[in-house]
Amino acid sequence: MGRQPCCDKVGVKKGPWTAEEDQKLVGFLLTHGHCCWRVVPKLAGLLRCGKSCRLRWTNYLRPDLKRGLLDEEEERLVIDLHAQLGNRWSKIAARLPGRTDNEIKNHWNTHIRKKLLRMGIDPVTHLPLQEQAVPPAAPQEQERHQPPQQQRQEHQQPQSDGDLLPVIQPDKITTPPPAQPTAVAAPASNCGSASSASAGSAAASVVSPSCSSSASAPAAHGAEATEWPDPMYLFGMDGIMDDAWDGLFPDGGVDPFDGCYPGGGGGFDQDDGWM
DNA sequence: AAGAGAGGCAACCGCAACGAT
DNA sequence: CATCGTTGCGGTTGCCTCTCT
């Protein structure tokens, strides 16, 4: 299938996002949601590809994200879910409201994996390492931990560093997220409006505890999840919303999505759905 | 105080899946 | 049914920060 690149590689900026870019993207998505990611950077005035915008949004800018290290409860849940699901980070993330697959994946690779190794547990199979040395003697045990669809590609992670294990401080392994003063009240408009909207398609699996009837959301996440990620504090989103993108769309308040709205009007349906 | 090394995290890449036409 | 376009996912990389010497 002749796949086209998601964007023209030429003239597309890569690398770390600047505060200004974040501001543009967040403001745009909160105002309009995303019709399709491909056009988001154009309409938001960004020299990024849509894919990059989507990643930035889902992994960092979404208002319902929790920030900071996973607490012990979450860590236990991740380990448990990993034992069941393998490297299905998105599935795992779906069970941890406010956490992204990327975040969990990183945390696993940097913290949990080492922690398990130090405990003598194979982070891939969740079996004691001694048993790993022996030829796979307990297939039924493997099956218990690896769902069928998993078995095709699991065990690909390098297990080489088991012997050169860095010593990490216990407090590095699990540290409760720093108590952030909720300085800026999460905009009420956040709920049921554009933000949850855009989180809807991509992040639908990650329920927004603050805004939705989080189906499978374990308790004790709600309060923190309502906090905005740091960039939000910096931006002063009120201004963005008020300005209605006059600055970015000089035609004077013309909704760039006018041609995009199926019904010509608003941007979202009640299910956050553009798509 | 400076340099080297290690660790952690954000972002990118490429493939697969899915829906639309 | 085949093709195309978009989104989602998992693996990997590169840079920045922190720690140690």
Side-chain angles (χ1 to χ4, degrees):
Chain A
M1 234 189 272
R3 287 177 56 87
Q4 290 188 338
C6 70
C7 54
D8 303 331
K9 299 283 182 185
V10 288
V12 172
K13 190 180 173 214
K14 287 162 63 172
W17 282 65
T18 65
E20 185 186 1
E21 288 176 310
D22 282 345
Q23 182 178 356
K24 285 183 179 180
L25 181 61
V26 170
F28 180 83
L29 291 173
L30 290 183
T31 310
H32 300 100
H34 62 88
C35 178
C36 66
W37 284 109
R38 197 182 179 90
V39 303
V40 164
K42 278 180 188 168
L43 297 178
L46 292 164
L47 295 174
R48 298 274 181 173
C49 75
K51 196 173 184 177
S52 180
C53 292
R54 179 175 58 81
L55 271 174
R56 182 64 177 170
W57 172 257
T58 56
N59 287 334
Y60 194 77
L61 297 174
R62 260 170 43 207
D64 59 336
L65 286 182
K66 290 169 77 175
R67 307 286 305 167
L69 290 174
L70 278 68
D71 58 35
E72 289 189 35
E73 177 83 9
E74 291 174 310
E75 208 169 83
R76 270 196 298 272
L77 186 56
V78 168
I79 293 170
D80 189 43
L81 290 170
H82 185 273
Q84 301 172 33
L85 301 169
N87 292 1
R88 296 289 176 272
W89 304 116
S90 60
K91 299 281 186 294
I92 295 173
R95 302 281 291 272
L96 286 120
R99 299 295 187 184
T100 69
D101 54 352
N102 203 40
E103 188 178 12
I104 292 171
K105 178 173 59 180
N106 282 335
H107 189 78
W108 178 273
N109 288 328
T110 56
H111 293 101
I112 301 177
R113 194 165 156 270
K114 293 172 188 172
K115 188 179 180 181
L116 291 177
L117 286 168
R118 287 183 65 204
M119 294 165 62
I121 298 173
D122 188 320
V124 178
T125 62
H126 294 258
L127 296 173
L129 283 170
Q130 293 94 315
E131 293 187 19
Q132 295 301 300
V134 180
Q140 68 275 44
E141 184 75 4
Q142 294 263 344
E143 278 181 12
R144 204 172 53 112
H145 289 284
Q146 307 287 337
Q149 82 263 27
Q150 235 67 53
Q151 298 178 4
R152 55 187 176 95
Q153 65 172 21
E154 294 303 339
H155 307 81
Q156 290 180 353
Q157 289 193 1
Q159 304 179 21
S160 55
D161 58 348
D163 47 346
L164 28 96
L165 217 48
V167 177
I168 56 175
Q169 306 302 316
D171 61 318
K172 296 275 185 185
I173 296 174
T174 50
T175 306
Q180 269 191 19
T182 317
V184 179
S189 62
N190 186 18
C191 293
S193 84
S195 96
S196 61
S198 37
S201 66
S205 49
V206 179
V207 220
S208 168
S210 58
C211 300
S212 66
S213 53
S214 55
S216 62
H221 295 299
E224 293 165 80
T226 61
E227 295 175 1
W228 287 70
D230 287 343
M232 301 298 193
Y233 294 105
L234 302 174
F235 295 160
M237 295 306 300
D238 285 353
I240 291 175
M241 306 297 282
D242 292 346
D243 288 348
W245 291 94
D246 285 349
L248 292 173
F249 305 104
D251 350 301
V254 174
D255 189 337
F257 273 139
D258 268 354
C260 237
Y261 301 145
F268 320 86
D269 61 31
Q270 288 175 326
D271 296 335
D272 308 341
W274 261 106
M275 312 299 289

